[in-house]
Amino acid sequence: MSPIDDAEAFEADDPVPLSARAMAARPAPYLDDLNAAQRAAVETLEGPVLMLAGAGTGKTKALMARIAHLIMQGRARPNEILAVTFTNKAAREMKERLSKTPFHLYEPLKWMGTFHAICVKLLRRHAELAGLKSNFTILDTDDQIRLMKQLIVAANIDEKRWPARQLAGIIDRWKNRAWVPDAVPVAEASAFNSRGVELYAEYQARLKTLNAVDFGDLLLHMVTIFQAQPDVLAQYRRWFRYILVDEYQDTNVAQYLWLRLLAGGHHNICCVGDDDQSIYGWRGAEVGNILRFEKDFPGAQVIRLEQNYRSTPHILAAASGLIAANKGRLGKTLWTEAEGGEKVRLIGHWDGEEEARWIGEEAEAMQGGSRGLRPYSLDEMAILVRASHQMRAFEDRFLTIGLPYRVIGGPRFYERMEIRDAMAYFRLAVSPDDDLAFERIVNTPKRGLGDKAQQKIQTMARANGVPLVEGARLLLETKGITGKGAKELAALLQGIGRWHGAALDATESHIELAERILDDSGYTAHWQNDKTPEAPGRLENLKELVKALEGFDNLQGFLEHVALIMDNESEDHGAKISVMTLHAAKGLEFPVVFLPGWEDGLFPSQRAMDENGLTALEEERRLAYVGLTRAEEVCTVSFAANRRVYGQWQSALPSRFIDELPSAHVDVLTPPGLYGGGYGAAAPAQSTVEEAAARADVYNSPGWRRLQSRSASRPVSQPRESRTVVIDAEAIAAFATGERVFHQKFGYGIVTGIEGDKLDIDFDTSGPKKVVARFVVAAGNVDDVPF
Ligand code: ATP
Ligand code: MG
């Protein structure tokens, strides 16, 4: 029975099951270890509650206790509680924690997850209200861009000047603000050469025909449905008796509206957040939502927590000192009862590889207990980076020394080419009408179905108003295509038919089916016959993909999971050091934290600042605050004077955030790259704050700068075989004058002219040059460029 159906049955019955009432009479151990303010937040069950407090003050802990309390008090059954978490991982962890308490015995929490995960469930139930079928596909960015490209070309717009990625960014921004095409304000009319709104409308129409949604649609459709269908909204208002939201500071307008609509009846909403940890402004999050809470929900109880339970006093003071430099903040005091502990450690390295080597050695030493500290397990350690390209140095190093590690949200397994291809085959098995999936694999592996043949399929499909698979069938029937291509196409269509049949009747396990699809389609053989060095890795990844299917009941469940995945963590056990981005680390805590790469340009990120100036600088600083406050006992900040980014050496100055750390809470360690690595005189093993200040001067001295610029052209540490940047053809897209771009050899610059496949670029470091467009990507895509 579906949750809503049994909700209705349940409502007709007794609102509080006997078991819950019996449990309510039992003591509440989850209340015992809360402080008075947390207890107030937990026990104020009726009406709106806002918990606004700094990092590590126990907001999430209190939120969990509140869920327990709601259930134990018999106020709601677990599946009548809507709990929004920031990542799928957080949702899983919370469910795990709850499952250890007695009340899990009678029902799991079904409605705990990210906004997207919850909305996809809701939208499947009400797809028809959005003009979709319930088996709609969720597009990834790649598909989205491909679709937009088609629309741009069809609208006779020069795709080189007006690239699809730019349109995707604009539409995403509009969706985050919950604007359907008709609701985009006039002030936005000039977007995308004044064609933005029109293309947005076409894009939405096309998605409907494809029975597909993109990520932004999940929220947008649900908001639209709730607004247009009061009876549906009323049903959910009754059903979700209590609403809880963690990390509220990072909600965007669409998410905010969605929450406001759902909580509109009973006002039983509890949001927790910290304005100092708002780090998704670049994705449309509005920290103003927090500040507006009291206005939206009159009579809201605002609870402030000030005691930090996570970090030692030095770590807390360093973080508080840093964030004090931000102007746009509410400001709060944090204190801790904890005593002692190490200062935040600061260390400079010669280059990124040395930084990775040092952290690897430090992690090994700390396992045995070093410097009089207790031994730490690798599970207790994390490396938090600003940009995902930083991860590679750690992966390389840890593989060399055999240090077990896990990358969370890192190399984006599901975004790799072979994984996307395989997934497109799976998507076709689930729904053969998935045109985008068909387009992706029709000639992968090569089947002699080049552009011309594909065009014919498209034309046939369009002329008959049918999906591409059907168009292809008609084309074969009418002999519109002959020879090898025809034979291959017929085989592919038969394959799709067979796989779809197998997926439907489910006689064979979905894992066997997946393997068979990859074999039958020739995709596995394609990589087996491929002689490039990447081929074995790709085959490994395909095996990994099939392995990942084991956790699911069927292909559709798996595809949904992948579409929603925000973090990818390995299943196998054993202690591992975690490597992840600062963004992914929100809400987490680790006894030992390493924060590498604190260099101006990398952190704060030059790219973010180029785009958003001072606002971005403050957001970067909040990100630094998030990083520092993840640490419980030992926190090490580091920077490198030289770093290889996408195969190119760059030099940098230490981050301005380093100078903002209050020196009384920082210990400066010997920078081995500068002193131990053969440069200059030997330095003392451990230096004082005064020396740190002196060293800061060294870093800013003309001599140091010269040293840096020299090393930029002549790396001192032996680089391993140089990697070439492989740029995805999609990423090359096209460029516009004035656009900021990245070239694999010359680094960042601004496009000043375009001539065929050549670009005139004014490079930041090497001045104006004419280069081939193939080696250039939009600066905004640099993180996405695979190695
Ligand atoms: P963040 O802002 O980083 O998400 P948070 O405010 O959600 O932090 P929690 O993760 O809930 O903080 O708690 C931080 C740590 O403090 C956890 O280890 C938690 O168990 C502990 N803690 C919270 N409240 C208490 C308390 N009253 N007594 C003892 N420990 C507590
Ligand atoms: Mg939290």
Side-chain angles (χ1 to χ4, degrees), residues 92 96 100 377-379 402-406 544 547 569-578:
R92 257 193 322 272
E96 232 165 69
K100 298 202 177 93
S377 131
L378 288 176
D379 274 339
L403 187 82
Y405 70 93
R406 70 168 72 82
E544 192 76 33
K547 213 159 85 194
E569 77 281 10
S570 62
E571 297 300 324
D572 65 310
H573 302 294
K576 294 189 182 74
I577 187 166
S578 302

PDB file of all heavy atoms in Angstrom, residues 92 96 100 377-379 402-406 544 547 569-578:
ATOM      1  N   ARG A  92      20.936   9.025   5.199  1.00  0.00           N
ATOM      2  CA  ARG A  92      21.230   7.635   5.549  1.00  0.00           C
ATOM      3  C   ARG A  92      21.764   7.529   6.968  1.00  0.00           C
ATOM      4  O   ARG A  92      21.372   6.662   7.737  1.00  0.00           O
ATOM      5  CB  ARG A  92      22.264   7.070   4.573  1.00  0.00           C
ATOM      6  CG  ARG A  92      21.651   6.160   3.543  1.00  0.00           C
ATOM      7  CD  ARG A  92      22.698   5.376   2.787  1.00  0.00           C
ATOM      8  NE  ARG A  92      23.902   6.119   2.499  1.00  0.00           N
ATOM      9  CZ  ARG A  92      24.076   6.878   1.426  1.00  0.00           C
ATOM     10  NH1 ARG A  92      23.103   7.004   0.554  1.00  0.00           N
ATOM     11  NH2 ARG A  92      25.214   7.514   1.219  1.00  0.00           N
ATOM     12  N   GLU A  96      20.107   5.584  10.119  1.00  0.00           N
ATOM     13  CA  GLU A  96      20.859   4.579  10.863  1.00  0.00           C
ATOM     14  C   GLU A  96      20.786   4.850  12.360  1.00  0.00           C
ATOM     15  O   GLU A  96      20.568   3.947  13.156  1.00  0.00           O
ATOM     16  CB  GLU A  96      22.317   4.642  10.422  1.00  0.00           C
ATOM     17  CG  GLU A  96      22.885   3.315   9.995  1.00  0.00           C
ATOM     18  CD  GLU A  96      24.169   3.537   9.235  1.00  0.00           C
ATOM     19  OE1 GLU A  96      25.149   3.948   9.874  1.00  0.00           O
ATOM     20  OE2 GLU A  96      24.160   3.336   7.997  1.00  0.00           O
ATOM     21  N   LYS A 100      18.604   2.644  15.646  1.00  0.00           N
ATOM     22  CA  LYS A 100      19.151   2.072  16.871  1.00  0.00           C
ATOM     23  C   LYS A 100      18.250   2.372  18.069  1.00  0.00           C
ATOM     24  O   LYS A 100      18.508   1.935  19.174  1.00  0.00           O
ATOM     25  CB  LYS A 100      20.558   2.626  17.109  1.00  0.00           C
ATOM     26  CG  LYS A 100      21.512   2.259  15.994  1.00  0.00           C
ATOM     27  CD  LYS A 100      22.963   2.323  16.427  1.00  0.00           C
ATOM     28  CE  LYS A 100      23.868   1.867  15.303  1.00  0.00           C
ATOM     29  NZ  LYS A 100      24.354   2.958  14.472  1.00  0.00           N
ATOM     30  N   SER A 377      42.533   6.587  14.225  1.00  0.00           N
ATOM     31  CA  SER A 377      42.300   5.671  13.111  1.00  0.00           C
ATOM     32  C   SER A 377      42.114   6.510  11.848  1.00  0.00           C
ATOM     33  O   SER A 377      41.720   7.681  11.916  1.00  0.00           O
ATOM     34  CB  SER A 377      41.051   4.835  13.410  1.00  0.00           C
ATOM     35  OG  SER A 377      40.182   4.847  12.312  1.00  0.00           O
ATOM     36  N   LEU A 378      42.379   5.920  10.691  1.00  0.00           N
ATOM     37  CA  LEU A 378      42.224   6.669   9.442  1.00  0.00           C
ATOM     38  C   LEU A 378      40.791   7.153   9.252  1.00  0.00           C
ATOM     39  O   LEU A 378      40.548   8.186   8.640  1.00  0.00           O
ATOM     40  CB  LEU A 378      42.643   5.805   8.248  1.00  0.00           C
ATOM     41  CG  LEU A 378      44.132   5.539   8.092  1.00  0.00           C
ATOM     42  CD1 LEU A 378      44.374   4.593   6.928  1.00  0.00           C
ATOM     43  CD2 LEU A 378      44.910   6.834   7.889  1.00  0.00           C
ATOM     44  N   ASP A 379      39.841   6.405   9.807  1.00  0.00           N
ATOM     45  CA  ASP A 379      38.443   6.816   9.699  1.00  0.00           C
ATOM     46  C   ASP A 379      38.192   8.151  10.382  1.00  0.00           C
ATOM     47  O   ASP A 379      37.183   8.810  10.125  1.00  0.00           O
ATOM     48  CB  ASP A 379      37.534   5.773  10.367  1.00  0.00           C
ATOM     49  CG  ASP A 379      37.182   4.662   9.403  1.00  0.00           C
ATOM     50  OD1 ASP A 379      37.285   4.903   8.187  1.00  0.00           O
ATOM     51  OD2 ASP A 379      36.829   3.568   9.875  1.00  0.00           O
ATOM     52  N   GLY A 402      50.273   3.143  -0.352  1.00  0.00           N
ATOM     53  CA  GLY A 402      49.320   2.142   0.115  1.00  0.00           C
ATOM     54  C   GLY A 402      48.515   2.606   1.315  1.00  0.00           C
ATOM     55  O   GLY A 402      48.182   1.820   2.196  1.00  0.00           O
ATOM     56  N   LEU A 403      48.213   3.875   1.364  1.00  0.00           N
ATOM     57  CA  LEU A 403      47.387   4.391   2.463  1.00  0.00           C
ATOM     58  C   LEU A 403      45.915   4.327   2.029  1.00  0.00           C
ATOM     59  O   LEU A 403      45.540   4.952   1.037  1.00  0.00           O
ATOM     60  CB  LEU A 403      47.782   5.848   2.769  1.00  0.00           C
ATOM     61  CG  LEU A 403      47.124   6.461   3.999  1.00  0.00           C
ATOM     62  CD1 LEU A 403      47.878   6.027   5.257  1.00  0.00           C
ATOM     63  CD2 LEU A 403      47.125   7.990   3.918  1.00  0.00           C
ATOM     64  N   PRO A 404      45.104   3.546   2.754  1.00  0.00           N
ATOM     65  CA  PRO A 404      43.714   3.419   2.302  1.00  0.00           C
ATOM     66  C   PRO A 404      42.967   4.755   2.388  1.00  0.00           C
ATOM     67  O   PRO A 404      43.069   5.441   3.384  1.00  0.00           O
ATOM     68  CB  PRO A 404      43.102   2.417   3.293  1.00  0.00           C
ATOM     69  CG  PRO A 404      44.250   1.811   4.016  1.00  0.00           C
ATOM     70  CD  PRO A 404      45.367   2.787   3.982  1.00  0.00           C
ATOM     71  N   TYR A 405      42.249   5.087   1.328  1.00  0.00           N
ATOM     72  CA  TYR A 405      41.520   6.355   1.332  1.00  0.00           C
ATOM     73  C   TYR A 405      40.201   6.178   0.603  1.00  0.00           C
ATOM     74  O   TYR A 405      40.013   5.230  -0.155  1.00  0.00           O
ATOM     75  CB  TYR A 405      42.350   7.452   0.649  1.00  0.00           C
ATOM     76  CG  TYR A 405      42.481   7.275  -0.846  1.00  0.00           C
ATOM     77  CD1 TYR A 405      41.584   7.881  -1.715  1.00  0.00           C
ATOM     78  CD2 TYR A 405      43.479   6.461  -1.372  1.00  0.00           C
ATOM     79  CE1 TYR A 405      41.685   7.699  -3.075  1.00  0.00           C
ATOM     80  CE2 TYR A 405      43.590   6.267  -2.736  1.00  0.00           C
ATOM     81  CZ  TYR A 405      42.687   6.898  -3.586  1.00  0.00           C
ATOM     82  OH  TYR A 405      42.788   6.703  -4.934  1.00  0.00           O
ATOM     83  N   ARG A 406      39.290   7.056   0.873  1.00  0.00           N
ATOM     84  CA  ARG A 406      38.058   7.076   0.097  1.00  0.00           C
ATOM     85  C   ARG A 406      37.825   8.495  -0.379  1.00  0.00           C
ATOM     86  O   ARG A 406      38.075   9.443   0.348  1.00  0.00           O
ATOM     87  CB  ARG A 406      36.861   6.573   0.915  1.00  0.00           C
ATOM     88  CG  ARG A 406      36.374   7.451   2.012  1.00  0.00           C
ATOM     89  CD  ARG A 406      35.030   6.974   2.546  1.00  0.00           C
ATOM     90  NE  ARG A 406      35.129   5.744   3.329  1.00  0.00           N
ATOM     91  CZ  ARG A 406      35.484   5.708   4.607  1.00  0.00           C
ATOM     92  NH1 ARG A 406      35.786   6.821   5.245  1.00  0.00           N
ATOM     93  NH2 ARG A 406      35.549   4.570   5.260  1.00  0.00           N
ATOM     94  N   GLU A 544      32.575  -2.158 -11.969  1.00  0.00           N
ATOM     95  CA  GLU A 544      32.181  -1.458 -10.738  1.00  0.00           C
ATOM     96  C   GLU A 544      30.699  -1.056 -10.828  1.00  0.00           C
ATOM     97  O   GLU A 544      29.955  -1.151  -9.849  1.00  0.00           O
ATOM     98  CB  GLU A 544      33.053  -0.213 -10.633  1.00  0.00           C
ATOM     99  CG  GLU A 544      33.013   0.498  -9.309  1.00  0.00           C
ATOM    100  CD  GLU A 544      33.820  -0.234  -8.258  1.00  0.00           C
ATOM    101  OE1 GLU A 544      34.832  -0.855  -8.623  1.00  0.00           O
ATOM    102  OE2 GLU A 544      33.402  -0.178  -7.091  1.00  0.00           O
ATOM    103  N   LYS A 547      28.547  -3.927 -10.271  1.00  0.00           N
ATOM    104  CA  LYS A 547      28.587  -4.248  -8.846  1.00  0.00           C
ATOM    105  C   LYS A 547      27.643  -3.329  -8.059  1.00  0.00           C
ATOM    106  O   LYS A 547      26.976  -3.753  -7.130  1.00  0.00           O
ATOM    107  CB  LYS A 547      30.031  -4.087  -8.331  1.00  0.00           C
ATOM    108  CG  LYS A 547      30.372  -5.068  -7.245  1.00  0.00           C
ATOM    109  CD  LYS A 547      31.857  -5.265  -7.091  1.00  0.00           C
ATOM    110  CE  LYS A 547      32.442  -4.204  -6.185  1.00  0.00           C
ATOM    111  NZ  LYS A 547      33.884  -4.116  -6.227  1.00  0.00           N
ATOM    112  N   GLU A 569      30.166   6.783  -2.059  1.00  0.00           N
ATOM    113  CA  GLU A 569      31.100   6.231  -1.074  1.00  0.00           C
ATOM    114  C   GLU A 569      31.188   4.725  -1.266  1.00  0.00           C
ATOM    115  O   GLU A 569      30.230   4.079  -1.659  1.00  0.00           O
ATOM    116  CB  GLU A 569      30.683   6.611   0.352  1.00  0.00           C
ATOM    117  CG  GLU A 569      29.557   5.847   0.917  1.00  0.00           C
ATOM    118  CD  GLU A 569      28.231   6.369   0.393  1.00  0.00           C
ATOM    119  OE1 GLU A 569      28.208   7.192  -0.547  1.00  0.00           O
ATOM    120  OE2 GLU A 569      27.214   5.934   0.904  1.00  0.00           O
ATOM    121  N   SER A 570      32.365   4.193  -1.052  1.00  0.00           N
ATOM    122  CA  SER A 570      32.540   2.774  -1.324  1.00  0.00           C
ATOM    123  C   SER A 570      31.910   1.958  -0.199  1.00  0.00           C
ATOM    124  O   SER A 570      31.800   2.419   0.926  1.00  0.00           O
ATOM    125  CB  SER A 570      34.017   2.455  -1.454  1.00  0.00           C
ATOM    126  OG  SER A 570      34.637   2.746  -0.226  1.00  0.00           O
ATOM    127  N   GLU A 571      31.521   0.770  -0.558  1.00  0.00           N
ATOM    128  CA  GLU A 571      30.787  -0.041   0.399  1.00  0.00           C
ATOM    129  C   GLU A 571      31.721  -0.829   1.318  1.00  0.00           C
ATOM    130  O   GLU A 571      31.362  -1.186   2.414  1.00  0.00           O
ATOM    131  CB  GLU A 571      29.888  -1.035  -0.340  1.00  0.00           C
ATOM    132  CG  GLU A 571      28.802  -0.376  -1.188  1.00  0.00           C
ATOM    133  CD  GLU A 571      27.861   0.490  -0.371  1.00  0.00           C
ATOM    134  OE1 GLU A 571      27.579   0.113   0.773  1.00  0.00           O
ATOM    135  OE2 GLU A 571      27.433   1.543  -0.872  1.00  0.00           O
ATOM    136  N   ASP A 572      32.942  -1.075   0.827  1.00  0.00           N
ATOM    137  CA  ASP A 572      33.762  -1.982   1.621  1.00  0.00           C
ATOM    138  C   ASP A 572      34.256  -1.310   2.899  1.00  0.00           C
ATOM    139  O   ASP A 572      34.358  -0.102   2.999  1.00  0.00           O
ATOM    140  CB  ASP A 572      34.933  -2.535   0.795  1.00  0.00           C
ATOM    141  CG  ASP A 572      35.890  -1.455   0.403  1.00  0.00           C
ATOM    142  OD1 ASP A 572      35.410  -0.420  -0.119  1.00  0.00           O
ATOM    143  OD2 ASP A 572      37.078  -1.625   0.611  1.00  0.00           O
ATOM    144  N   HIS A 573      34.529  -2.170   3.886  1.00  0.00           N
ATOM    145  CA  HIS A 573      34.842  -1.618   5.198  1.00  0.00           C
ATOM    146  C   HIS A 573      36.342  -1.490   5.391  1.00  0.00           C
ATOM    147  O   HIS A 573      37.105  -1.624   4.462  1.00  0.00           O
ATOM    148  CB  HIS A 573      34.167  -2.476   6.264  1.00  0.00           C
ATOM    149  CG  HIS A 573      32.678  -2.529   6.041  1.00  0.00           C
ATOM    150  ND1 HIS A 573      31.881  -1.418   6.161  1.00  0.00           N
ATOM    151  CD2 HIS A 573      31.860  -3.525   5.621  1.00  0.00           C
ATOM    152  CE1 HIS A 573      30.632  -1.737   5.865  1.00  0.00           C
ATOM    153  NE2 HIS A 573      30.592  -3.015   5.522  1.00  0.00           N
ATOM    154  N   GLY A 574      36.772  -1.259   6.597  1.00  0.00           N
ATOM    155  CA  GLY A 574      38.198  -1.027   6.844  1.00  0.00           C
ATOM    156  C   GLY A 574      38.421   0.469   6.915  1.00  0.00           C
ATOM    157  O   GLY A 574      37.785   1.232   6.182  1.00  0.00           O
ATOM    158  N   ALA A 575      39.342   0.871   7.814  1.00  0.00           N
ATOM    159  CA  ALA A 575      39.542   2.305   8.041  1.00  0.00           C
ATOM    160  C   ALA A 575      40.187   2.971   6.832  1.00  0.00           C
ATOM    161  O   ALA A 575      41.085   2.414   6.206  1.00  0.00           O
ATOM    162  CB  ALA A 575      40.405   2.491   9.276  1.00  0.00           C
ATOM    163  N   LYS A 576      39.698   4.151   6.511  1.00  0.00           N
ATOM    164  CA  LYS A 576      40.237   4.900   5.372  1.00  0.00           C
ATOM    165  C   LYS A 576      40.211   6.376   5.709  1.00  0.00           C
ATOM    166  O   LYS A 576      39.282   6.851   6.365  1.00  0.00           O
ATOM    167  CB  LYS A 576      39.353   4.709   4.138  1.00  0.00           C
ATOM    168  CG  LYS A 576      39.313   3.327   3.588  1.00  0.00           C
ATOM    169  CD  LYS A 576      38.583   3.359   2.258  1.00  0.00           C
ATOM    170  CE  LYS A 576      38.458   1.995   1.642  1.00  0.00           C
ATOM    171  NZ  LYS A 576      37.487   1.138   2.296  1.00  0.00           N
ATOM    172  N   ILE A 577      41.184   7.085   5.216  1.00  0.00           N
ATOM    173  CA  ILE A 577      41.153   8.536   5.349  1.00  0.00           C
ATOM    174  C   ILE A 577      40.200   9.066   4.275  1.00  0.00           C
ATOM    175  O   ILE A 577      40.166   8.552   3.163  1.00  0.00           O
ATOM    176  CB  ILE A 577      42.581   9.121   5.214  1.00  0.00           C
ATOM    177  CG1 ILE A 577      42.599  10.612   5.515  1.00  0.00           C
ATOM    178  CG2 ILE A 577      43.191   8.852   3.850  1.00  0.00           C
ATOM    179  CD1 ILE A 577      44.011  11.171   5.732  1.00  0.00           C
ATOM    180  N   SER A 578      39.389  10.044   4.616  1.00  0.00           N
ATOM    181  CA  SER A 578      38.427  10.571   3.639  1.00  0.00           C
ATOM    182  C   SER A 578      39.005  11.778   2.920  1.00  0.00           C
ATOM    183  O   SER A 578      39.639  12.623   3.538  1.00  0.00           O
ATOM    184  CB  SER A 578      37.148  11.034   4.336  1.00  0.00           C
ATOM    185  OG  SER A 578      36.571   9.987   5.036  1.00  0.00           O
TER     186      SER A 578
END
